[in-house]
Amino acid sequence: MGRAQPGRDDLGSAYLQAHPRGMEWLQLEATVASLTFEQLARLAETRVDDRPLRHARRRVVASLEFAHGRIASRWVRWADTFGLPHPPLTAEPADILDHPYGLIEDDEIGIYVAGLLPVYDAALAILAGDHAKPADYELLSASWRRVCLPSRFTPTTLYGPHTQDALTALSAACGFPRSCLTRMVRACRAISTADWDPAADTVHQAALRLGYPYRGKCLYWEAVARAETAMDESPTRPELVHALWGYAAVQAFAGQLPAEAATLLASPYRAGGRTPPPA
């Protein structure tokens, strides 16, 4: 089944509520979950002269020194989400922030990375908030705003029409008693990797068919954050992450998954005893 990546949720709701661009960050997250390959190609085409961007990046990163750890944690998550080489977890936060920009020189993935860097730039610009010069914010976020906005999706619909069902299931788990969470962990451990992995892959295949290839991974990271909150530990037990993600994925991708796969993915969460039996 793999394992949950380390790191307590780096941009929790309290932080974003107090942030001057918190709502804009939520919109960025919605566009990441709904990012298409066509948009990636258009984002890559916006790259012309990187020198002004590099200067703006350095200024913004310097202004964000107080939040390097928070943002570096997001970079680690996005490396997994986008299928990029993983930055060393032991590296300094500033080095992790530089990591995706160095990948542009890789002949095998450089074009793909070129489409993603405007997303990273927009993240820096947004999180810098009032610490960034207006001109740097405009420059770093311009490509993302031009290609990805306005979006069909909002923070409440970022996983499609069943977003709220999925997010409600994740939020509910944060209030479950430890005994319930323990039953979920045990139920997930009882499922072999040979059975779980193909079922989980049906989620990612469904996301591809719908045209939003990163939805499954984005939802997985929602599950990581909620599992850490539920257990009050970071990193937390990967089996709990998978149990929460599996059930949430079945909700988010309702009608898109094979019935057998959906039943398996939902079973560890149901084993906690807090949901009605399947119809």
Side-chain angles (χ1 to χ4, degrees), residues 57-68 128 131-133:
R57 247 177 245 138
R58 282 198 292 269
R59 288 190 294 269
V60 169
V61 169
S63 76
L64 276 170
E65 186 173 355
F66 67 95
H68 276 188
H131 296 275
K133 296 179 179 179

Side-chain angles (χ1 to χ4, degrees), residues 129-203:
D130 296 337
H131 296 275
K133 296 179 179 179
D136 288 340
Y137 164 82
E138 293 293 335
L139 181 61
L140 290 172
S141 65
S143 292
W144 167 69
R145 287 185 285 113
R146 186 182 316 132
V147 173
C148 299
L149 298 180
S151 173
R152 290 176 52 206
F153 303 99
T154 69
T156 60
T157 61
L158 74 169
Y159 300 115
H162 303 288
T163 295
Q164 291 309 303
D165 293 334
L167 296 184
T168 297
L170 292 178
S171 296
C174 296
F176 289 170
R178 184 62 64 98
S179 60
C180 175
L181 301 175
T182 299
R183 288 194 294 272
M184 291 183 188
V185 169
R186 289 173 179 166
C188 206
R189 284 177 179 166
I191 302 173
S192 70
T193 299
D195 290 330
W196 182 271
D197 287 353
D201 190 57
T202 66
V203 175

Side-chain angles (χ1 to χ4, degrees), residues 165-166 169 242-252 265-267 269-270 275-276:
D165 293 334
H242 288 292
L244 300 191
W245 175 80
Y247 189 81
V250 170
Q251 306 308 304
L265 291 171
S267 62
Y269 190 105
R270 290 191 179 281
T275 61

Side-chain angles (χ1 to χ4, degrees), residues 20 24 86 113 128 143 148 215 238-239 248:
E24 192 172 6
H86 210 283
V113 173
S143 292
C148 299
R215 271 193 181 167
E239 296 89 353

Side-chain angles (χ1 to χ4, degrees), residues 72 87-97 99:
L89 296 180
T90 56
E92 292 295 322
D95 293 330
I96 293 177
L97 292 184
H99 180 75

